[in-house]
């Protein structure tokens, strides 16, 4: 039985300001209505498999769980990485967990996928998995090589060796080439883009990891031996795992093993590593513009224009990326979008929050949108999901006014518990223990006005929280 392992970690910065470190690209709906994570799960529908296991960062756990719930997808657990240690340890945790969960001596075969890839031809994807399965069953470590369509310098490559049916031995892994070398690779037809997708027995991966990177395996074994279950999340020992070497599966295993095979995949694959790549895979108008949101163009062509919150207009521009969100605007040449990460680095250096958070922030109970911020006041629009409850908490430095816009709020305000409906309000003094809950079946919308000497999110003392936060 195939067990999909979906790696949903990472804090991609190349799609800023759409992607932020606390809401990275795998959770964005960049093409269609589903997020990239949801699309990754959806393309598994015709593959005989068990429920997928997700691996993600601690900070992203509630987003991943909520997107699985909204998509109607079951999962076999969400493994939380307490600290990022690259793909070799992450996959080792998944392999160990899969073996621990195996029944009747079943040999789990892991289909390792990234949550932030797009694949246009899902049938071709499935066909490649079917071709790889016999090799994985026979103990090979199979990677999927993307049939290149251009001399791409942004990807690593896999050079194929001798042919064995529908697969090839791996001759070598090569780093990202310069343009001249990439053209040679394309012309030779012996090189494939390195997709970072794999199929192998969990036990075989661990055997090869023990051979070439025994320290990683030892630490992962000790970390997962102290696993704790928190809601649907699987927590490994943080102190043990933090000592693990930071290494990719390519460096730790695939470049050293003699069991590596590559199966070609020609499925319209993209890792959407930049806005230029996103422009490539998106639907365009008659002037080759990709337009998302409220946009009006005149004499403009070959642009990617995204409007989240405002009307965006262009006149006489070409080959630009223009992205408007509630709190930031990016204007860049489409040929220079790989350098967006330099902007993100500058935001980090300046101590600004825009690299990390959107103005609209998701929480396990719903979301809030910071509408306006002053020196001693802040206004938020808060949405609480049906049946959800915020923690029982208090603040040392701020008071809060809550005004219900729609739905029903169950409010704990000190010793008093009241129900508020549309156009009703309450006041929470500084230091008052309080809680907010949505007891209804419709979303609760309210406006929160904060006032005080300090309005930071860390001015929260939690006494009880159903989501395990402290």
């Amino acid at each position: 039985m195939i067990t999909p392992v979906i790696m949903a970690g990472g804090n991609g910065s190349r799609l800023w300001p759409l992607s932020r470190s606390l809401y990275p690209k795998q959770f964005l709906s960049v093409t269609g209505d589903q997020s990239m994570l949801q699309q990754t799960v959806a393309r598994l529908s015709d593959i005989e498999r068990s429920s997928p296991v997700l691996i993600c960062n601690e900070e992203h756990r509630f987003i991943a769980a909520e997107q699985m719930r909204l998509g109607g997808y079951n999962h076999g657990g969400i493994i939380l990485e307490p600290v990022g240690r690259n793909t070799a340890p992450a996959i080792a945790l998944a392999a160990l967990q899969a073996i621990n969960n195996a029944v009747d001596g079943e040999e789990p075969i892991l289909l390792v996928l990234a949550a932030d890839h797009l694949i246009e031809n899902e049938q071709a994807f499935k066909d490649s998995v079917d071709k790889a399965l016999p090799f994985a069953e026979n103990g090979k470590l199979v990677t999927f090589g993307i049939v290149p369509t251009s001399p791409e310098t942004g990807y690593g490559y896999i050079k194929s060796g001798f042919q064995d049916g529908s697969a090839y031995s791996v001759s070598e892994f090569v780093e990202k080439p310069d343009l001249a070398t990439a053209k040679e690779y394309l012309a030779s037809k012996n090189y494939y883009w390195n997709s970072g997708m794999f199929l192998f027995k969990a036990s075989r991966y661990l055997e090869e990891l023990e051979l070439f990177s025994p320290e990683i395996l030892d630490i992962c074994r000790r970390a997962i031996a102290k696993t704790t279950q928190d809601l649907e999340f699987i927590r490994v020992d943080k102190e043990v795992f933090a000592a693990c070497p930071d290494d990719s599966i390519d460096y730790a295993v695939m470049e050293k093993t003699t069991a590596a095979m590559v199966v070609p995949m020609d499925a319209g694959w993209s890792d959407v590593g930049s806005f230029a790549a996103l422009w490539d895979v998106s639907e365009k108008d008659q002037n080759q513009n990709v337009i998302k949101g409220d946009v009006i163009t005149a004499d403009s062509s070959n642009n990617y224009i995204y409007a989240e919150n405002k009307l965006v207009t262009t006149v006489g521009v070409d080959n630009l990326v223009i992205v408007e969100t509630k709190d930031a605007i990016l204007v860049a040449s489409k040929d220079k979008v790989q350098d967006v990460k330099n902007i993100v680095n500058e935001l980090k250096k300046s101590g600004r929050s825009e690299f990390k958070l959107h103005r609209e922030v998701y929480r396990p109970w719903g979301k809030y949108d910071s509408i306006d911020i002053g020196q001693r006041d802040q206004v938020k629009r808060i949405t609480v999901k049906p049946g959800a409850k915020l923690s029982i908490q208090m603040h040392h430095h701020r008071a809060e006014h809550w005004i219900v816009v729609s739905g029903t709020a169950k409010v704990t305000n000190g010793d008093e518990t009241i129900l508020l409906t549309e156009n009703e309000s309450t006041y929470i003094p500084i230091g008052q223990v309080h809680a907010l809950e949505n007891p209804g079946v419709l979303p609760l919308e309210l406006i929160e006005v904060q006032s005080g000497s300090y309005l930071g999110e860390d001015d929260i003392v939690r006494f009880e929280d159903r989501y395990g936060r402290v």
Side-chain angles (χ1 to χ4, degrees):
M1 177 67 72
I2 289 176
T3 298
V5 175
I6 300 176
M7 294 184 290
N11 298 300
S13 60
R14 289 178 293 175
L15 291 186
W16 185 90
L18 294 184
S19 173
R20 312 285 173 101
S21 68
L22 290 186
Y23 205 89
K25 70 173 182 174
Q26 59 265 29
F27 303 120
L28 298 176
S29 302
V30 294
T31 59
D33 297 328
Q34 289 188 310
S35 71
M36 298 177 79
L37 169 61
Q38 291 169 327
Q39 289 177 342
T40 301
V41 180
R43 74 175 64 104
L44 298 169
S45 59
D46 292 332
I47 295 174
E48 187 176 346
R49 57 176 177 82
S50 60
S51 295
V53 173
L54 275 64
I55 305 174
C56 74
N57 299 339
E58 173 91 13
E59 294 175 321
H60 301 149
R61 66 193 188 280
F62 293 117
I63 303 173
E66 179 67 4
Q67 290 205 347
M68 293 293 286
R69 186 189 69 81
L70 290 175
Y73 303 122
N74 296 322
H75 62 78
I78 301 176
I79 299 174
L80 302 182
E81 290 182 285
V83 289
R85 288 295 180 262
N86 217 315
T87 54
I91 297 168
L93 293 177
L96 292 164
Q97 184 70 15
I99 290 172
N100 289 342
N101 292 341
V103 294
D104 300 328
E106 188 177 82
E107 179 78 75
I109 296 177
L110 307 186
L111 175 59
V112 181
L113 305 171
D116 59 354
H117 291 176
L118 292 179
I119 292 178
E120 295 178 358
N121 189 336
E122 295 187 358
Q123 184 58 51
F125 166 77
K126 180 182 181 300
D127 290 345
S128 294
V129 174
D130 290 342
K131 291 174 182 176
L133 187 56
F135 296 96
E137 291 173 333
N138 287 327
K140 299 298 185 182
L141 277 61
V142 183
T143 183
F144 296 94
I146 304 302
V147 177
T149 56
S150 61
E152 177 62 53
T153 60
Y155 299 141
Y157 283 71
I158 301 169
K159 183 180 181 182
S160 61
F162 66 84
Q163 185 172 3
D164 182 359
S166 56
Y168 297 84
S169 65
V170 172
S171 176
E172 64 175 325
F173 288 81
V174 292
E175 297 295 333
K176 298 174 183 178
D178 58 27
L179 183 58
T181 305
K183 288 179 178 179
E184 292 176 7
Y185 290 169
L186 183 65
S188 76
K189 301 188 183 302
N190 292 325
Y191 289 82
Y192 300 94
W193 292 338
N194 188 352
S195 71
M197 298 186 288
F198 305 92
L199 186 73
F200 40 63
K201 287 181 180 180
S203 60
R204 282 292 292 128
Y205 173 68
L206 296 179
E207 287 172 4
E208 296 298 274
L209 188 64
E210 186 164 33
L211 182 62
F212 299 113
S213 301
E215 184 182 3
I216 291 178
L217 180 57
D218 175 63
I219 289 175
C220 288
R221 277 179 172 153
R222 289 190 285 119
I224 211 159
K226 298 181 180 180
T227 294
T228 58
Q229 192 78 28
D230 172 17
L231 301 174
E232 56 204 302
F233 308 114
I234 301 166
R235 295 180 178 275
V236 303
D237 188 286
K238 180 176 182 178
E239 185 176 344
V240 171
F241 190 72
C244 191
D246 184 319
D247 214 349
S248 72
I249 181 176
D250 285 350
Y251 288 128
V253 174
M254 297 301 292
E255 293 185 3
K256 299 170 183 175
T257 181
T258 59
M261 301 289 288
V262 58
V263 169
M265 180 182 291
D266 189 1
W269 173 92
S270 172
D271 74 344
V272 198
S274 69
F275 281 109
L278 186 52
W279 178 86
D280 284 337
V281 300
S282 299
E283 185 177 345
K284 304 170 184 65
D285 67 11
Q286 65 273 19
N287 296 313
Q288 296 299 295
N289 295 308
V290 174
I291 291 176
K292 307 286 185 181
D294 191 5
V295 176
I296 298 175
T297 64
D299 191 27
S300 300
S301 58
N302 302 302
N303 302 295
Y304 182 91
I305 309 171
Y306 181 102
E308 178 183 274
N309 197 53
K310 298 180 179 67
L311 168 66
V312 173
T313 65
T314 66
V315 179
V317 300
D318 179 72
N319 205 46
L320 291 183
V321 170
I322 302 171
V323 179
E324 178 271 333
T325 66
K326 289 180 178 180
D327 62 348
I329 297 173
L330 169 71
V331 180
S333 166
K334 190 141 57 70
D335 298 330
K336 296 288 186 179
V337 289
Q338 293 285 357
D339 295 333
V340 169
K341 61 181 181 294
N342 296 335
I343 298 293
V344 176
N345 291 336
E346 186 62 33
L347 292 171
K348 290 180 183 179
K349 190 187 305 181
S350 303
R352 300 188 57 136
S353 64
E354 288 91 345
F355 84 92
K356 188 173 187 179
L357 294 167
H358 287 279
R359 202 184 81 176
E360 189 171 67
V361 177
Y362 288 83
R363 290 288 186 256
W365 45 259
K367 62 181 179 179
Y368 68 82
D369 186 358
S370 298
I371 300 170
D372 184 66
I373 301 176
Q375 285 192 329
R376 293 182 59 88
D377 65 284
Q378 181 170 203
V379 181
K380 293 182 176 180
R381 176 180 290 274
I382 295 176
T383 304
V384 184
K385 297 183 295 187
K389 181 181 180 180
L390 282 68
S391 58
I392 300 174
Q393 59 184 253
M394 60 87 74
H395 312 294
H396 289 298
H397 303 288
R398 72 174 186 250
E400 296 175 345
H401 297 258
W402 294 346
I403 306 100
V404 175
V405 176
S406 63
T408 300
K410 182 179 179 180
V411 177
T412 300
N413 192 349
D415 296 329
E416 184 181 20
T417 299
I418 58 175
L419 291 178
L420 300 178
T421 58
E422 187 173 328
N423 293 325
E424 295 181 330
S425 63
T426 192
Y427 168 68
I428 312 292
I430 291 177
Q432 182 84 292
V433 175
H434 61 279
L436 174 64
E437 182 176 356
N438 180 359
V441 296
L442 299 175
L444 164 64
E445 302 274 350
L446 61 85
I447 300 297
E448 176 182 86
V449 181
Q450 302 176 357
S451 59
S453 59
Y454 179 72
L455 306 173
E457 284 298 305
D458 54 349
D459 180 25
I460 299 177
V461 178
R462 289 192 174 95
F463 299 101
E464 182 182 319
D465 184 67
R466 64 174 57 174
Y467 309 108
R469 297 171 299 166
V470 294

